[in-house]
Amino acid sequence: MMKMTIGVSTLLAALLASPAVFAHGDVVPHAVDTTGLDPLGPEWRDENPYRGNPTAIEIGKHAFAANCARCHGIDAISGGIAPDLRKLDKGSLGDEWFQERVRNGAVRNGAVYMPKFAEPDGPLSQEALWAIRSWLDTVAIDQ
Ligand code: HEC
């Protein structure tokens, strides 16, 4: 019989080195190519300008997987780490709350629950973020 030679510290090191232990998907934010979407400029829109736009939905699907799924779950099905974004209001109320969170993140008592995602503090353009919002609409469920 083979003897197990892996020590506890080795196992621990492997666990700590593996982001998959904590969440699904990638850890590093990914730049998103928004070619094909109307540029929006730096001024934030109150409402999603791409709602129902098939190009935005496709871009948003991948952008979500690369940037948000590690906390909010693959296909936005939350594993409990962060809110289930399928339950976000589908209308302008949801747009407002979405914008609030992706621009400001969620920080309480100095603890970062969600980092800022919108440029210039975060990695993603307004275009990329509204694309994600457009995709979220397509997987929304009634609460
Ligand atoms: C590091 C983990 C993490 C990542 C990555 C992350 N979020 Fe969050 N998000 C959270 C947590 C935790 C909350 C709940 C914050 C709170 O407790 O107030 C949250 C809240 C939200 C909310 C408000 C939901 C609600 O029901 O109140 C939205 C919208 C949101 N996130 C969108 C996104 C989007 C879009 C991305 C990717 C661009 C993203 N998040 C990436 C952790 C994360």
Side-chain angles (χ1 to χ4, degrees):
M1 218 169 78
M2 278 208 347
K3 198 170 169 248
M4 288 291 290
T5 50
I6 300 176
V8 171
S9 60
T10 318
L11 263 180
L12 198 62
L15 283 174
L16 289 175
S18 162
V21 169
F22 300 105
H24 302 287
D26 293 341
V27 222
V28 188
H30 287 248
V32 174
D33 182 359
T34 55
T35 306
L37 296 178
D38 287 343
L40 301 173
E43 206 66 39
W44 270 78
R45 308 294 164 92
D46 290 334
E47 292 203 22
N48 181 5
Y50 303 140
R51 201 183 301 288
N53 175 327
T55 306
I57 291 168
E58 189 56 25
I59 291 171
K61 180 182 164 77
H62 298 292
F64 181 92
N67 293 281
C68 321
R70 67 186 164 102
C71 292
H72 289 283
I74 289 167
D75 293 336
I77 301 167
S78 172
I81 302 174
D84 195 310
L85 298 182
R86 296 171 304 162
K87 295 178 182 168
L88 210 58
D89 182 282
K90 273 194 266 182
S92 55
L93 268 180
D95 284 352
E96 270 177 44
W97 191 227
F98 178 87
Q99 179 180 159
E100 159 69 25
R101 276 296 178 242
V102 297
R103 294 180 69 187
N104 301 317
V107 182
R108 276 195 306 278
N109 304 321
V112 178
Y113 291 84
M114 172 171 154
K116 294 178 182 181
F117 268 92
E119 289 171 345
D121 302 315
L124 300 184
S125 64
Q126 179 179 187
E127 287 84 351
L129 286 161
W130 284 128
I132 291 173
R133 169 66 173 148
S134 303
W135 173 73
L136 280 172
D137 276 351
T138 68
V139 295
I141 51 175
D142 291 330
Q143 347 204 1

